[in-house]
Amino acid sequence: MNEQNPNPPSMTRQGMDYGETSDVHEVHAAIQREKREPRVGLEPLSMWLIVVYGLALFTGGAYLGRFSGNFSGDSLDIAYIPPKKAGPGGGAAGGPEKELTPAERGKKIFAANCQTCHQANGQGVPGQYPPLAGSEFTTGGSRRMAMIVLKGLQGPVKVKGQMYGSAVMQPWDKTLTDQKIADVMTYERSDWGNTASPVTAEQIAALRKELASHPESYSEHDILAAPDEDIPGGAPAAGGQPPKPGEAAKPAPPK
């Protein structure tokens, strides 16, 4: 039998450090063949990605410049009419701009806030929402009507001999400004055959201050207990004379 050499030949080769073996060299060679691990943040952006970002920024800027309304809250106001640009002669382009009347502004406010219940023709919904056309509250003094608009109305109410009690009139004192309330009341009191006196923002401001201590909505009893008169400081009705308490304004004479 061949006896095993108790001292096998050394695995150390020329060029190796002391204690290294060929196995270590093989491991190093395998590591050198592998690709270097990528490092985050050092890779350049793709040119296509830069182009896409640039187009997105340009498109967004152009859209904001066209439709942002100069980032003004007036652009969200349905009654706001932006001024026209000046023409070559210094005036507005296309001639002088026509300013909306209070009733015209009020019609826009009515369409956005009141038309759903009271309908475009002012006739309301039978049994649910009372009419404004020919209503004693609309054509009478502005005080009672303004009390309803500012503070709201709860409970049944009789209008033109019919009872309405299934709906609640919400208060608008915290939603609409004095001018908007005056405009919408002026529209309602002058359309659908109504010819009551117009209402001004100063009148609404005075009544708002007077009713500041009344936090809840009114009932029909509360409204009827108030005098049927115009709020002091208003203009006369279209007929030239303000209506008497409890009476609708007379129509203006034909021109």
Side-chain angles (χ1 to χ4, degrees):
M1 296 178 63
N2 294 330
E3 295 182 358
Q4 294 182 354
N5 188 356
N7 298 318
S10 175
M11 300 295 293
T12 303
R13 298 178 183 176
Q14 186 178 3
M16 294 183 180
D17 293 336
Y18 177 77
E20 287 186 343
T21 64
S22 59
D23 293 338
V24 176
H25 271 275
E26 292 175 0
V27 172
H28 288 179
I31 293 175
Q32 293 296 328
R33 288 193 300 270
E34 293 181 359
K35 295 183 179 180
R36 181 177 298 179
E37 292 291 337
R39 301 178 65 180
V40 178
L42 297 181
E43 294 295 329
L45 288 176
S46 170
M47 182 59 66
W48 286 107
L49 190 59
I50 295 176
V51 172
V52 170
Y53 283 164
L55 288 176
L57 289 174
F58 176 80
T59 304
Y63 182 87
L64 288 176
R66 175 65 178 84
F67 299 105
S68 66
N70 295 326
F71 297 97
S72 172
D74 291 336
S75 61
L76 303 178
D77 189 348
I78 58 174
Y80 173 73
I81 303 298
K84 295 183 178 180
K85 297 181 179 179
E97 179 184 353
K98 179 184 177 182
E99 183 178 357
L100 294 180
T101 65
E104 290 172 337
R105 295 195 304 264
K107 185 175 183 179
K108 293 178 177 291
I109 300 170
F110 177 86
N113 299 281
C114 317
Q115 184 170 302
T116 302
C117 297
H118 296 290
Q119 304 301 304
N121 57 6
Q123 296 298 326
V125 178
Q128 296 183 2
Y129 304 106
L132 300 178
S135 166
E136 52 267 44
F137 294 104
T138 308
T139 59
S142 59
R143 173 178 289 274
R144 288 181 174 179
M145 183 181 180
M147 290 171 61
I148 296 174
V149 175
L150 282 170
K151 293 298 182 179
L153 183 66
Q154 291 185 349
V157 60
K158 180 182 288 187
V159 178
K160 299 173 64 175
Q162 299 293 324
M163 291 300 300
Y164 299 85
S166 61
V168 176
M169 168 73 176
Q170 73 174 75
W172 292 97
D173 58 339
K174 294 180 175 60
T175 306
L176 299 179
T177 63
D178 296 335
Q179 186 63 63
K180 289 183 178 181
I181 291 178
D183 290 344
V184 74
M185 286 183 58
T186 298
Y187 165 69
E188 294 168 352
R189 291 164 64 83
S190 61
D191 203 2
W192 313 305
N194 299 336
T195 54
S197 59
V199 183
T200 65
E202 290 75 17
Q203 289 177 292
I204 298 300
L207 186 61
R208 184 194 294 269
K209 185 177 181 180
E210 179 182 333
L211 304 179
S213 60
H214 192 284
E216 299 178 355
S217 297
Y218 288 108
S219 65
E220 181 187 34
H221 175 76
D222 299 328
I223 297 299
L224 295 179
D228 188 11
E229 62 183 11
D230 282 339
I231 306 170
Q241 296 293 333
K244 296 180 180 180
E247 295 182 358
K250 297 180 180 180
K255 296 181 180 180

